[in-house]
Amino acid sequence: MLSVELTNIIFTVINLLILYYFLHRFLFKPVREVLEKRRGEIDSSYKDAEEAKRQAEELRKQYETSMNGVEAERREQLEKTKLEASREYDEIIGNARQKAERILSDAKLEAEKEAKAKQHEMQEQMALLVAQAAYKIAASKDSSENDSKLYDTFLKDAGKGD
C-alpha cells in the first residue's frame, strides 16, 4: 500500500524547489532574456521602418516641390521664349515693311524719271516735227493744196512717233 511519510514529502518539496530554481536560473531567465532581446529588435525594426517611411515622405514632398518649381520654371521659360519670338517676328515684319516701302518709293521715283524722260523725248520729237513742218511750209508755195499735203504729212509723221 501506499504510505505517506513526512520526510518523503519534505524531500519532494525540496527537490521541486531546487528543480524550480535551476529551471528558473538556467532555462526561464535566458529564454526571457532572448525573448526580450528579440522584442527589442522587433521594436527597433518598427521604429526604423517608421523613420524610413517618414524620410520617404519627406523626400516625396521635396520631389513634388522641386517638380512644381521645375514646371513653373518651364512655363516661365516658355513664356519668355514666346515673347522673344514675338519680338523677333515683329522686328522682321517691320524690317520687311520698311524694305517694301523703300522698294516702292524707289520704283515710283524710277517711274517718274522714266516718265519725265519719255515726256522730254516726246517734246523733242514734237519740236523736231514742228520745225520740219515749218520748214516745209516756208519752202513751199502758199497754196491751200500744198497746205493740205503738209498737214497730212505732219499727221502721218506724228502718228509714226507713237
Side-chain angles (χ1 to χ4, degrees):
M1 214 162 93
L2 239 350
S3 72
V4 177
E5 290 184 24
L6 186 60
T7 57
N8 248 352
I9 292 179
I10 292 178
F11 279 122
T12 304
V13 170
I14 291 175
N15 280 338
L16 281 174
L17 287 175
I18 292 172
L19 180 65
Y20 176 76
Y21 172 76
F22 282 117
L23 284 176
H24 180 68
R25 171 121 172 120
F26 296 110
L27 182 66
F28 296 140
K29 191 175 181 180
V31 168
R32 281 189 190 144
E33 288 175 0
V34 167
L35 289 176
E36 283 297 317
K37 189 176 180 182
R38 181 67 182 140
R39 185 173 299 153
E41 288 175 1
I42 291 171
D43 289 344
S44 175
S45 294
Y46 279 129
K47 286 179 185 176
D48 290 345
E50 287 294 322
E51 180 66 22
K53 183 179 176 182
R54 187 188 61 76
Q55 287 177 351
E57 186 65 27
E58 281 181 25
L59 288 174
R60 185 187 62 81
K61 286 179 183 177
Q62 288 176 356
Y63 172 75
E64 287 176 356
T65 303
S66 69
M67 288 307 293
N68 289 338
V70 166
E71 181 65 24
E73 185 178 331
R74 183 191 67 82
R75 274 187 254 123
E76 181 181 314
Q77 189 66 28
L78 184 62
E79 288 299 319
K80 184 179 176 182
T81 303
K82 283 181 181 178
L83 286 175
E84 188 175 316
S86 177
R87 263 188 254 120
E88 286 181 20
Y89 173 78
D90 291 342
E91 184 178 327
I92 289 170
I93 294 298
N95 289 341
R97 283 187 180 144
Q98 288 176 352
K99 193 173 184 180
E101 288 173 3
R102 201 173 329 121
I103 289 171
L104 284 175
S105 66
D106 289 348
K108 284 180 183 178
L109 287 175
E110 188 67 30
E112 287 175 6
K113 285 180 184 177
E114 285 182 23
K116 285 181 181 180
K118 288 285 185 184
Q119 185 179 8
H120 184 64
E121 184 180 324
M122 293 296 279
Q123 287 173 350
E124 286 179 356
Q125 286 179 358
M126 191 67 127
L128 183 63
L129 288 174
V130 168
Q132 286 175 354
Y135 175 74
K136 287 180 183 179
I137 290 173
S140 67
K141 296 180 184 175
D142 288 331
S143 70
S144 64
E145 184 180 308
N146 209 10
D147 287 342
S148 179
K149 278 186 187 180
L150 285 175
Y151 181 70
D152 289 338
T153 305
F154 174 73
L155 288 177
K156 192 194 268 181
D157 288 341
K160 289 181 185 177
D162 291 338

